[in-house]
Structure formats: C-alpha cells, structure tokens
Amino acid sequence: MADQTRNPAYVDQVVLAHDVPQQPPAAAVVKEPPQAETDEESVNQKPVEKALVEEYLSKPKCDNQGNVLQSGSFKEESTRVVDLLDNEKKALQQLKQLVQEALNKHEFGGQQPEAPKEDDEKESAKEEAKDEAVIDDEPPKPETVAETNDAPAKEDSINLVETEVIEDKVATAAAGSNTVEDDGAKTVEAIEESIVSVSSSAQPAAETEAYVVSEDERKGGKAEDKVVPPEEISIWGVPLLADERSDVILLKFLRARDFKVKEAFVMLKSTILWRKEFGIDELVEQDLGDNLNKVVFMHGFDKEGHPVCYNVFGEFRNKELYQKTFSDEEKRQNFLRWRIQFLEKSIRKLDFRPGGICTIVQVNDLKNSPGPAKWELRQATKQALHLLQDNYPEFVARQVFINVPWWYLAVNKMINPFLTQRTKSKFVFAGLSKSADTLFRYITAEQVPVKYGGLSKDSEFATTETVTEITVKSAAKHTVEFPVTEACLVRWEVRVIGWGVSYGAEFVPSGENSYAVIIQKARKVAASTEEPVVCDNFKVGEAGKVVLTIHNPSSKKKKLLYRFKSHPTTSH
C-alpha cells in the first residue's frame, strides 16, 4: 500500500506549493527501489487498480462520468488581524515575540557574538590561582616589585609616585644636614621604607585593574561593543516584524501548524535557514533557461483575483524533454532549482498586505501524463514536494485537477487518508469531458487558455473583455445578435465546447428595403476541429444587427462562448 500511495503521487508533487498534509504512519514509509516498474508488473497491477477505481467511482461523491467531486468547499481565511479569533490573535502575538527574541539573538543564521566558554574560564581561573601561589612562595624583593606588574600602562604613574616621595625625603634630609650621623642613618632607612611602602600599595591596585580589563575582554570587549543590533531577515521580499505584511507571513506558518506556536516557529526558522543554504536570493536572479515554460506557466486570474498556475504533465511525453530534465541526478537538481525559482518569482508578485491576494490557484493537467512507471520523474517530484511542503506553507487557494486518468483516481483514493481535511477541501477533480466546465466554475472564460476551453489567446480581444456563456439545449438552435447603430467594423469570437454543431452568421439591416447579407454560410464544425475558436468580422455600412446561428443536433447540451466589439468607421 505504501508503494501504491507514493507511485503516482508525482501528479501534484512537481509543481505544487502544497499545504502540509498529515504525515503518514511510519509503517507506510518505504524507500523506493531504484529501478522502474516493468511492463509485466504494470499490466498485472492494472486489473487490481481498475477494480479499486470501480469501487471508488461507485460512491456518491463521484458523478456518472467518473469525475471525482471536490472533498469539501474551502473558504480562504482572512489575513486581517482584526478578523482573527481571540486564540489566533494570541498565537500570533506569541509567535511575534519568539521571532523578535530570535532576531535579537541572531538565531536565523546571522553572526552571533561569541559567548565565553566555561572551559576557558575554568582554565583562566586555574592559571590565576597558580600564579598567585608562585608569587606567595617567592621571597619578597622590594626593588623589583614594580617591574612584575602585568599592566605596563601603569608603570609610569607608579614610578612617578615613587620619585616624588623620594624627592620629598631627600629634601627633608638636606634641610637637616647639621644633625648627627644617627639622624642621617634614620633618614636613609625612612627613604627605603617609603620606597617599599609605595611599591607595595601600588601593586594590588594594578593587579585589580588588570583583572577588570581581562574580565571585560572575556565578556566581549568594551561596553559599547556589546550592544549588537537585532538581525534583519526578509522572506519573499517581506522584512520580518517590519510592518503588517509580516503578520500575513506569520499567519501562513501558524495555519500550516494549526496555530501551534512553537511548531510554527520551528517551521519558520527551518525555512529561513533553508533559504540561506539553498541561496534563494541568488537563485532568483539566475538564468536557468526556458525549456520548461510549456510545462509550468502562469496565465490569468480566477474569479476571486488569484493568479493561476498551469502545470502540464503531458509535456513530459516528449522523450527528448524528459531525458534533458530527469535522466541523471544533476539534471533532476537543475529541474528542482528551476521549479523553486519559478515559484519564488510568482510568490514575490503577490500582495502580502492584510486583505490582499497572497495565494495561488493551481490547475494540474494530467492529460497524457507519463504515468507512475517513470522512476526518474517520481524521484525528482518527490524531492520537490518535500521542499515545497516544508518551506512554502499556505500558498495554494485551490488545487484543480483536470483530464484526470483512471489510474490517478485509484491513487487519490489511497493517499486520501494521509491528507488533512483542510487540504482535501481545496482539491477538485474532473475527467476529460468535464474539465472545461470545472474550470469555468472558478475561472471566467476570458481568463482560461484556448487549449482548456476558454477564449484567452493573442487576439484583438483582451482578457478584460467579458465573455458571455450560454447553454445550447440538445437538438435545438440558438441565435446570438449583435446590434449596431452606425457604420462600424464588428469583430467577434465564438466557440462551442466540444463543437459538433453547425455555425452560420449574417447581417440583417434595419431598413425595410435592405437585404440580409450572408457573412458565413452555415457549416458544420466537427468535434475534432483544429479551429477551437472562430474569429470573424464584418464591415457594417448602416444600422442593423449581426446574427450568429448555432444548431446543436446532438443529444447533449453544449456550452456556447462568445464576445464581440465594434470600431466606428467612415461610410462611403
């Protein structure tokens, strides 16, 4: 079961900034064998997997086309502090305190001031005690006491005091030169006693000062040098604790750890250290080529304003691209670096202000995906998933899987128990026949690429120009009218999802004595057409209307998409 759980999981591993799922039990963690599955093994497994799929599809949560419905309706939480629950506000404050303490102590990878080592202190104390013992054992030598001082900076001042005392004594002796010889002897003795007395009193003071200096040096130098400013750390371009954007970042880590403050802090610290080790800031500036631009790309926004990332796994059916990307460890590492770079650049365009859009919608196209037998792909994507789970928390607003093959449904059933309810509520699955309709639930047609059923492409129309969606009933005709009131050039785009219908266009003038003009004679557009979108135009010289006719002869409903615009012209 462990192998079955892991094998095709690459489908959402290559490109996703996953929310962190629950860890599977230890028994389920088994190392992957370095060899790929043989064709015979794959064939033997298919009946079992298909049986699991049939059981899975028989459950109410699947529709009659075999499409897996979303596990739940996910509602994105607010990033405004005022909207948080009391316990969530408290957790945020506690995490901010831990982060501030870590910044003060340079725990995020900065240079820390070295603390005194206990062993060094003990050794220093032993040496001092030994020196004192030696000094006590030695006989006193008054004339050399001043020279044994360890603080050379004090020698001049000590000698100056001695000189002044001696001069005073000599002056006194000179004044009493007429005294007897005994008095002279006493004077000499007094001078000698003064020298010894001054030297003895100066020595302890010098030793004390030297001890204080050594203590200061042991603690890091002068007092002003000990004040180390807090570390400055930025993540995804947001400085920690610098402004309210930092709260949004911290909330991501808290939500990834169910508001467990210590666990969130450990995750944050680990992420920052990994980013430094991986060299993220330098990686963002590197040129890693554009070989994978068709595999992963950003395109448009969903109905709530989230940027949409498309992950096209079918591109790896190209053997040359597959070999260039996964054939050896070095190439797999390059792929990993490219994927991280792409994600970093996308994240840095998000709005981390409270209430801003700071998550992404992932659309994962599994059509023609290489399948679970590609060992090299599994290895690369498994490593990518590990990094994304650990270091990019709460960056996915929704995961939409389209063109889902039968084998992935089986895998999803197996990995489902290991995902949190929060993660499962973001997942949406759709088979081939329902992929376009599923995308339109979350993304407007003008924002969906043409290859996925929308109208977004390089044309006269911008993605901001609204597309109208209409359902054409089975065995029915539907007409669309574009009214015009002046001479102009009318342009329009129209498509029917799946086509298999007839399409025609004509201009009907408003004047009673005018005749209708056929723009496009009715023609059948096959379902397998290479012309997914019909783009047409007509120059109008008088008021009237452009009429499009869609005839759906099939027994299934069809979704019609269209938009039009006009440019005034001068009539001749």
Side-chain angles (χ1 to χ4, degrees):
M1 178 176 176
D3 289 339
Q4 289 174 319
T5 302
R6 286 192 310 274
N7 285 354
Y10 71 87
V11 172
D12 53 85
Q13 291 174 3
V14 177
V15 293
L16 309 184
H18 255 307
D19 303 309
V20 182
Q22 296 173 346
Q23 294 297 325
V29 179
V30 181
K31 290 185 178 180
E32 287 280 353
Q35 69 276 4
E37 298 175 6
T38 63
D39 293 339
E40 182 179 355
E41 289 173 342
S42 178
V43 170
N44 291 337
Q45 287 179 357
K46 283 185 179 180
V48 178
E49 292 174 342
K50 286 183 177 179
L52 290 171
V53 172
E54 291 176 0
E55 177 187 354
Y56 188 63
L57 297 179
S58 66
K59 296 187 177 181
K61 62 181 178 180
C62 299
D63 61 21
N64 56 5
Q65 278 80 31
N67 298 320
V68 184
L69 304 181
Q70 62 263 44
S71 301
S73 179
F74 174 75
K75 181 175 176 59
E76 195 168 9
E77 298 93 338
S78 173
T79 55
R80 295 185 175 91
V81 176
V82 293
D83 297 333
L84 301 178
L85 300 176
D86 289 341
N87 65 308
E88 295 174 344
K89 291 179 181 178
K90 182 178 179 181
L92 178 59
Q93 289 303 318
Q94 290 175 347
L95 180 57
K96 291 172 72 173
Q97 290 176 2
L98 291 178
V99 172
Q100 186 61 68
E101 292 174 3
L103 291 174
N104 292 340
K105 297 177 182 178
H106 289 231
E107 292 182 357
F108 289 121
Q111 296 296 324
Q112 303 185 43
E114 295 184 0
K117 297 181 179 180
E118 294 183 3
D119 294 341
D120 293 342
E121 291 182 352
K122 291 179 181 179
E123 289 297 327
S124 178
K126 287 181 181 179
E127 292 295 332
E128 290 179 2
K130 190 183 295 183
D131 292 342
E132 290 177 1
V134 172
I135 293 173
D136 291 340
D137 291 343
E138 291 181 356
K141 297 180 181 180
E143 64 275 14
T144 60
V145 171
E147 296 176 2
T148 62
N149 186 15
D150 291 335
K154 302 297 179 181
E155 288 182 357
D156 292 341
S157 60
I158 294 173
N159 293 335
L160 179 60
V161 173
E162 294 175 357
T163 303
E164 290 176 350
V165 173
I166 293 171
E167 288 176 350
D168 289 343
K169 295 294 185 180
V170 171
T172 303
S177 58
N178 55 348
T179 59
V180 294
E181 199 168 318
D182 290 339
D183 291 337
K186 290 180 180 180
T187 300
V188 173
E189 290 176 3
I191 293 173
E192 290 177 351
E193 289 174 3
S194 299
I195 294 174
V196 174
S197 176
V198 172
S199 299
S200 299
S201 62
Q203 179 70 14
E207 287 180 348
T208 301
E209 241 177 294
Y211 176 78
V212 171
V213 171
S214 64
E215 279 294 312
D216 287 342
E217 291 174 350
R218 193 178 295 121
K219 292 180 181 179
K222 297 180 182 180
E224 57 266 26
D225 295 336
K226 295 177 189 176
V227 180
V228 180
E231 191 175 9
E232 294 183 0
I233 294 293
S234 292
I235 181 169
W236 301 303
V238 178
L240 284 182
L241 304 187
D243 54 46
E244 57 187 4
R245 293 178 301 162
S246 181
D247 292 345
V248 176
I249 295 292
L250 297 182
L251 279 173
K252 289 183 178 294
F253 287 88
L254 283 169
R255 287 184 170 126
R257 290 295 181 262
D258 295 326
F259 282 88
K260 296 176 182 177
V261 178
K262 291 184 179 179
E263 293 182 15
F265 175 72
V266 170
M267 184 183 186
L268 173 64
K269 185 175 180 181
S270 176
T271 295
I272 292 174
L273 295 177
W274 170 79
R275 292 175 66 83
K276 290 187 175 183
E277 180 182 349
F278 203 83
I280 294 296
D281 292 334
E282 295 77 13
L283 176 63
V284 171
E285 303 300 327
Q286 294 178 9
D287 182 7
L288 300 181
D290 57 0
N291 293 336
L292 299 173
N293 284 354
K294 292 184 179 180
V295 178
V296 185
F297 58 89
M298 304 295 293
H299 189 101
F301 301 86
D302 76 345
K303 293 179 180 179
E304 297 176 352
H306 300 97
V308 182
C309 178
Y310 289 84
N311 310 290
V312 188
F313 295 93
E315 292 292 330
F316 288 126
R317 283 286 187 181
N318 184 318
K319 293 183 179 180
E320 183 179 356
L321 178 62
Y322 187 90
Q323 290 296 319
K324 286 182 178 180
T325 309
F326 302 113
S327 59
D328 58 47
E329 182 60 27
E330 181 181 356
K331 291 176 181 177
R332 290 193 289 271
Q333 287 299 316
N334 289 337
F335 164 77
L336 180 63
R337 291 176 61 80
W338 182 89
R339 188 62 190 91
I340 295 296
Q341 182 196 65
F342 182 90
L343 182 59
E344 278 287 326
K345 290 181 177 180
S346 302
I347 287 177
R348 295 184 185 212
K349 296 177 182 178
L350 299 175
D351 183 1
F352 287 104
R353 292 174 298 178
I357 301 296
C358 60
T359 51
I360 297 171
V361 168
Q362 296 272 4
V363 175
N364 308 286
D365 179 12
L366 307 185
K367 185 177 181 180
N368 297 326
S369 179
K374 295 292 186 179
W375 178 83
E376 300 87 357
L377 179 58
R378 292 207 312 272
Q379 291 298 104
T381 54
K382 197 159 55 173
Q383 186 177 7
L385 175 65
H386 176 73
L387 291 179
L388 297 178
Q389 285 178 337
D390 290 347
N391 302 292
Y392 295 89
E394 296 296 310
F395 276 104
V396 177
R398 182 169 281 106
Q399 295 276 14
V400 182
F401 296 85
I402 59 175
N403 300 318
V404 179
W406 66 267
W407 56 260
Y408 190 81
L409 300 180
V411 173
N412 180 70
K413 175 180 172 60
M414 295 176 184
I415 67 175
N416 201 54
F418 300 136
L419 302 175
T420 65
Q421 184 58 41
R422 175 183 174 80
T423 297
K424 288 187 287 188
S425 69
K426 297 182 180 183
F427 282 14
V428 179
F429 298 87
L432 181 62
S433 63
K434 293 293 183 180
S435 291
D437 288 339
T438 300
L439 287 179
F440 294 152
R441 291 212 309 265
Y442 307 104
I443 309 169
T444 58
E446 61 266 23
Q447 297 282 347
V448 175
V450 169
K451 68 179 295 185
Y452 295 120
L455 293 182
S456 179
K457 64 183 182 67
D458 293 333
S459 69
E460 296 289 334
F461 291 85
T463 55
T464 55
E465 295 177 283
T466 306
V467 172
T468 301
E469 301 179 30
I470 294 177
T471 299
V472 181
K473 296 180 181 180
S474 61
K477 286 186 178 182
H478 186 87
T479 58
V480 176
E481 298 181 355
F482 305 150
V484 290
T485 59
E486 60 182 347
C488 63
L489 177 65
V490 180
R491 297 181 184 275
W492 64 90
E493 291 182 338
V494 60
R495 82 175 298 177
V496 176
I497 305 302
W499 283 107
V501 301
S502 295
Y503 159 76
E506 64 177 346
F507 173 70
V508 180
S510 301
E512 294 181 0
N513 298 324
S514 300
Y515 295 93
V517 179
I518 296 176
I519 302 172
Q520 171 63 58
K521 186 177 180 180
R523 64 184 177 94
K524 185 175 181 179
V525 184
S528 59
T529 181
E530 296 181 358
E531 184 186 17
V533 180
V534 173
C535 303
D536 214 337
N537 64 80
F538 183 72
K539 189 173 183 180
V540 178
E542 58 182 313
K545 58 185 177 181
V546 174
V547 180
L548 309 182
T549 303
I550 305 296
H551 178 212
N552 177 21
S554 71
S555 58
K556 294 182 180 180
K557 295 184 295 184
K558 300 282 186 175
K559 184 178 287 295
L560 167 66
L561 308 174
Y562 67 89
R563 59 182 170 181
F564 78 99
K565 62 181 178 179
S566 60
H567 302 283
T569 60
T570 302
S571 179
H572 296 286

